[in-house]
Amino acid sequence: MTQSVDTRQDGRPEEAPARPPVRAGLAETLRFVATHTLPVFVRGVANPRFGVVALYSRLNQPGWSNATLRAMKARHGGAPVLVRALSGEMLVLFDPADIRRFFEEPVDTLAMDADDKYAGLAVFEPTGVICSHGKVREDRRRVNDEALAAGRPVHPSCGEFRTVVEEECRALTGAGAVDFPSLWRAMTRISRRVVLGDRAADDEELTDWLITLRGQGNWMGRSRPEANKALYAKASARIARYAADAPAHTLAARALAVPSPEGTDPLGQTHHWLLGIDLSAPVIARTLLLLALHTAEQDAVHAELADAAPELPRLRACVTESVRLYPIVPDLVRVTRTDTVWAGVRYPPGTDVLVPIGFHQRDPDVVPGGHLFNPGRWLVPGATADTSTAPFSHGGARCPGEDIALLLTSLVCAELLRDHRLTDAHPSLDTGRPLPGIVDTAGIRLRLTRLRPEAPEGPEAPKSE
């Protein structure tokens, strides 16, 4: 176990002995860059490239990355390791106590706006919470939390959101099948209606603009900076027009209704909300695939739907487990704003700290059955507070959209599963073995088989003699 920071009575860190940090060697560094950081950048930091995801699935790229991290953890006994990544040195954390502290530190000590993250996300949400720190961040976070009803499993606009989901899922259930492109189209419509209202439902151009900006975010804002600013301004102006008369239940209207200190930009977070709901499409696709392959879990979900449980705890657990297995953000990066001490070594402000959470929350030494689909683990009291897993992070940086994300994804899954059974799953995975570290999400296809026949139309046919 590594040593946590010691503090004096005034709360400041004790002076640590002059110990050199543990540094990765040249061969170890090259392996880390080749198998972990470079593949992350190629996949896309701000916006996943699904073609690359398909290639990684065939090559089992996460297996290479995990082997590198396992070897680094074993060689250094779980101590924090300074390793040079593509953009500079990073302190990689392995010990559970260090990871717990990573989540517990306040955001003014371990800030979210590390240079790489800020440069990428600022392309399409420069006034968002994630690109802020200090008082401005707190002001923006307050508006964000009010709009999202953070911490409330059932959003005040749940009834209106449920209607949107029901209407947008009819095309999927009517087709008798689900594939990723059709699910993506449905989720982008749901996203625009939930955030901006029904007037934005058909505005695919707005979504295309935002996708372009997210793609530019993968280049850390270094590609076409002036064109990006112009496109952001155009998208923001259209969002503002929709928000001006958006219905009260929409996220944009709720944000505008919150008293906002100067400089807060209450609509600055709409770009992130639209991104978040759009990116729930891969989460839903993978959850449905896992349920199709695990028939007992699908039976349990059908039983829950039959009982009409309002908060759908089993289905939410399935979504959460899917995110644990296949996190949207597999690496969590923070930057220190003060001196910090890790395992007895003092690090200066500006140190990037990395938790490869995608690796840790599948580590069988820490998470029992880490490579298996086990939604029941999330039904145990206190499970969501356990820092060995972090589907939605923890502490001051915990995702404020966790509850609305689980609400919307669960409502979509429920609508597709109600009166239907998921069959003929592609790709087919061997559930008797550890699940692969990545799935070709864009290639997911499922059949919806009706559980009971539809009622006959018209008068009942006469019975034969």
Side-chain angles (χ1 to χ4, degrees):
M1 297 285 285
T2 58
Q3 176 183 327
S4 299
V5 63
D6 294 323
T7 57
R8 307 185 310 196
Q9 288 185 349
D10 61 4
R12 296 180 60 191
E14 288 280 7
E15 291 297 323
R19 292 176 50 189
V22 175
R23 292 182 180 274
L26 177 60
E28 199 172 25
T29 297
L30 292 175
R31 182 181 178 187
F32 179 81
V33 170
T35 64
H36 190 79
T37 57
L38 183 59
V40 169
F41 278 93
V42 173
R43 173 184 176 268
V45 175
N47 197 42
R49 300 180 177 102
F50 289 110
V52 174
V53 172
L55 176 63
Y56 285 179
S57 176
R58 290 194 293 272
L59 298 177
N60 186 29
Q61 182 275 323
W64 307 349
S65 170
N66 289 345
T68 295
L69 293 168
R70 276 197 304 272
M72 189 178 291
K73 177 182 177 181
R75 181 180 180 186
H76 301 290
V81 180
L82 266 179
V83 58
R84 181 163 291 280
L86 293 177
S87 56
E89 283 192 324
M90 282 187 165
L91 185 66
V92 185
L93 302 184
F94 291 102
D95 191 275
D98 288 333
I99 295 170
R100 186 181 312 114
R101 179 183 157 209
F102 174 90
F103 291 121
E104 291 174 349
E105 288 283 4
V107 292
D108 57 354
T109 299
L110 278 180
M112 298 183 67
D113 56 335
D115 289 343
D116 283 352
K117 181 185 291 185
Y118 181 86
L121 298 180
V123 176
F124 60 90
E125 51 173 301
T127 60
V129 174
I130 205 167
C131 294
S132 315
H133 75 276
K135 184 178 185 305
V136 172
R137 180 187 186 276
E138 294 307 310
D139 289 341
R140 290 172 175 171
R141 176 71 188 251
R142 193 175 304 111
V143 174
N144 179 68
D145 289 3
E146 286 290 332
L148 297 179
R152 299 172 63 178
V154 179
H155 194 276
S157 302
C158 179
E160 291 87 352
F161 294 167
R162 187 188 302 273
T163 299
V164 169
V165 168
E166 290 173 353
E167 291 173 355
E168 296 299 339
C169 285
R170 284 174 190 159
L172 298 174
T173 56
V178 177
D179 58 27
F180 184 73
S182 59
L183 183 59
W184 174 266
R185 286 192 297 272
M187 289 311 301
T188 56
R189 287 181 58 85
I190 290 171
S191 173
R192 293 189 296 266
R193 293 179 67 182
V194 164
V195 176
L196 301 171
D198 291 350
R199 283 204 310 126
D202 298 321
D203 196 344
E204 295 181 3
E205 184 178 49
L206 174 60
T207 295
D208 290 342
W209 291 347
L210 297 178
I211 289 173
T212 298
L213 287 171
R214 296 167 195 167
Q216 289 296 306
N218 288 339
W219 300 102
M220 306 299 170
R222 298 183 179 94
S223 171
R224 302 171 47 204
E226 295 306 315
N228 294 338
K229 290 178 183 177
L231 186 56
Y232 174 83
K234 186 162 61 171
S236 296
R238 186 169 294 184
I239 286 171
R241 288 201 299 272
Y242 285 130
D245 60 357
H249 67 269
T250 62
L251 299 186
R254 287 177 58 85
L256 289 174
V258 179
S260 303
E262 184 178 353
T264 302
D265 185 11
L267 295 180
Q269 197 68 9
T270 54
H271 298 259
H272 192 85
W273 298 333
L274 290 162
L275 166 69
I277 300 174
D278 289 353
L279 288 182
S280 66
V283 173
I284 293 167
R286 291 189 288 261
T287 302
L288 295 174
L289 175 68
L290 291 167
L291 285 170
L293 296 169
H294 294 80
T295 55
E297 291 296 342
Q298 189 175 169
D299 290 342
V301 169
H302 278 125
E304 179 175 77
L305 294 176
D307 290 341
E311 295 184 9
L312 301 173
R314 188 82 196 186
L315 194 42
R316 287 182 184 230
C318 291
V319 174
T320 305
E321 179 72 343
S322 171
V323 178
R324 180 191 70 82
L325 287 165
Y326 302 105
I328 293 176
V329 183
D331 283 344
L332 302 178
V333 182
R334 306 282 188 268
V335 59
T336 61
R337 295 300 180 194
T338 62
D339 283 351
T340 54
V341 177
W342 302 89
V345 179
R346 183 173 298 279
Y347 295 90
T351 301
D352 285 338
V353 183
L354 167 68
V355 171
I357 197 64
F359 163 73
H360 287 302
Q361 58 191 15
R362 275 189 176 230
D363 185 350
D365 293 336
V366 179
V367 180
H371 289 287
L372 302 177
F373 181 62
N374 178 19
R377 74 174 82 236
W378 300 104
L379 299 175
V380 177
T384 58
D386 183 358
T387 55
S388 63
T389 58
F392 297 96
S393 196
H394 293 281
R398 192 179 186 105
C399 176
E402 173 182 358
D403 290 300
I404 194 170
L406 288 173
L407 172 68
L408 291 173
T409 51
S410 299
L411 287 176
V412 172
C413 289
E415 195 61 28
L416 297 177
L417 283 162
R418 188 172 289 110
D419 299 332
H420 294 89
R421 187 161 195 88
L422 298 165
T423 60
D424 297 342
H426 177 84
S428 180
L429 308 177
D430 185 352
T431 58
R433 298 170 58 85
L435 290 169
I438 194 169
V439 172
D440 177 10
T441 305
I444 290 176
R445 297 191 303 275
L446 304 161
R447 183 180 298 279
L448 295 175
T449 303
R450 289 196 67 84
L451 290 174
R452 54 180 180 270
E454 295 186 40
E457 296 183 3
E460 184 179 352
K463 296 180 181 179
S464 60
E465 294 292 336

